[in-house]
Amino acid sequence: RKSNFSLPVNNIMNSIAERYVKLVLRIGVYDTDYVDAYYGPNEWKPAGDDSLKKEKFPSQRFDDEVIQLLRLLHSMDTLQLGAIEKLRHASMSKQLIAVKAKIFLLSGGMLSFDEESQQMYDAVAPAYSEDHYRRLLENLGLLLPGTGSVSERLESYKRSFVIPKEKLDAVFKAAIAEGRRRTLQHISLPSNENFIVEYVNDKPWSGYNWYKGDSYSVIQVNTDLPIFIDRAVDLACHEGYPGHHVYNLLMEKTLVRERGWMEFSVYPLFSPQSLIAEGSANFGIEVALPGEERVHFERDVLFPLAGHDRKKAEEYYRIQALKAKLDFAGNEAARNYLDGKWRRDDAVQWLVTYALFAPERAEQRLRFIERYRSYVINYNLGQDIVRLFIERRGGTPNNSELRWKIFEELLSDPHTPSGLQ
């Protein structure tokens, strides 16, 4: 793609980018979850982190800086910009709006769940009635054996599909190897790209990719609770290939190294970038292993590795497909709990009843909601937004090559969630 980005405008954007990165890193001193990854110049990192933590959060100074950057950004003549540079300009605007919202929240401000997600992630998740989820539960209940609530019956059914701890590493590595093999058939990755897998405890999430820069990731899998067989592919593709690991290395390769757009050397977790990152990581599971291909791979490879009856694979995934329709139920728990409409026990009970979490998993999920708040929309709404963006352009399940091509372009360009819709 050719660029008509003039030198003066380029200089302005690069100046904004540097100030933005330094501001995000300074905010990260006060919230250790904020900076998910950074691989820019060491000299841009704030000096004396420990002493800064002792200071009162300088909300006014940080807010003034964001306002200055937004004014400078919006004063630019965007008619001078080429298509890819317009994406960059829009991305910077949305990222700065999210920074402003984060400063507001860290200074003690309050936003509703939907206001927060709009400002932080450039999107608002739809709300569904309890009747909507009740009807979905009834359909799922028809497939499940036993008596009791749908949640209890599902938990009982899935117990025979837990991956034994001593086999977890073999199963997970087989899943990630398959995701990587399939990704490499369609996306050219740097020759030095690599990762390690660690198994951890006492986390509010089930898996995490810590991207370290230079095409290297640390993928952590939380073993606090039993891990079911379907989570091997989910985590392997979501955290690894073609998910977070591939997303981060393509952003580094195409935007930071090749274009010199340094704003992408920092990844603030609470930003529109996360909706695309989580949405593409979730959609990437079905890009890499669509439909029956996933079922066949798990039946023939992962089920035997885990010691499960491979004859039950098709039934298991029919049930999983119906359960997936309930994914947005978690958003309702987060929205009502964080908006103060529900007590903690109410939110846990909703997660058990309609999101079909076992009680201990519902507690873990609520800890995630308490820590990451409206971030939860990035998984399900993000996946829907990414899927629609790719399929509207012809990347449908029956056009695998085009689907992969658009998927790679999405991961390599500075899109915004509202720009995808």
Side-chain angles (χ1 to χ4, degrees), residues 193-313:
E193 68 87 14
N194 202 359
F195 68 93
I196 61 168
V197 179
E198 296 177 349
Y199 299 95
V200 297
N201 297 100
D202 195 26
K203 305 294 182 185
W205 36 258
S206 56
Y208 211 110
N209 177 295
W210 301 99
Y211 187 69
K212 302 299 184 180
D214 198 25
S215 303
Y216 175 71
S217 291
V218 174
I219 297 174
Q220 293 186 330
V221 178
N222 185 7
T223 60
D224 280 350
L225 298 172
I227 298 175
F228 299 112
I229 188 67
D230 57 289
R231 293 298 288 158
V233 163
D234 284 353
L235 290 173
C237 290
H238 181 101
E239 307 297 345
Y241 305 86
H244 290 323
H245 176 64
V246 175
Y247 172 75
N248 280 298
L249 69 84
L250 286 178
M251 294 285 278
E252 180 181 18
K253 173 180 176 289
T254 60
L255 299 182
V256 178
R257 306 303 175 200
E258 294 176 5
R259 292 187 177 274
W261 292 355
M262 295 307 295
E263 66 266 33
F264 296 101
S265 67
V266 70
Y267 177 5
L269 187 67
F270 307 104
S271 72
Q273 190 175 341
S274 280
L275 186 136
I276 295 174
E278 300 294 1
S280 62
N282 267 1
F283 185 61
I285 299 167
E286 53 187 281
V287 172
L289 284 152
E292 289 300 308
E293 291 185 38
R294 172 175 181 167
V295 177
H296 295 164
F297 168 69
E298 298 215 28
R299 179 194 66 198
D300 298 338
V301 179
L302 299 191
F303 269 59
L305 275 176
H308 298 330
D309 183 355
R310 53 184 290 178
K311 294 177 183 176
K312 294 183 178 180

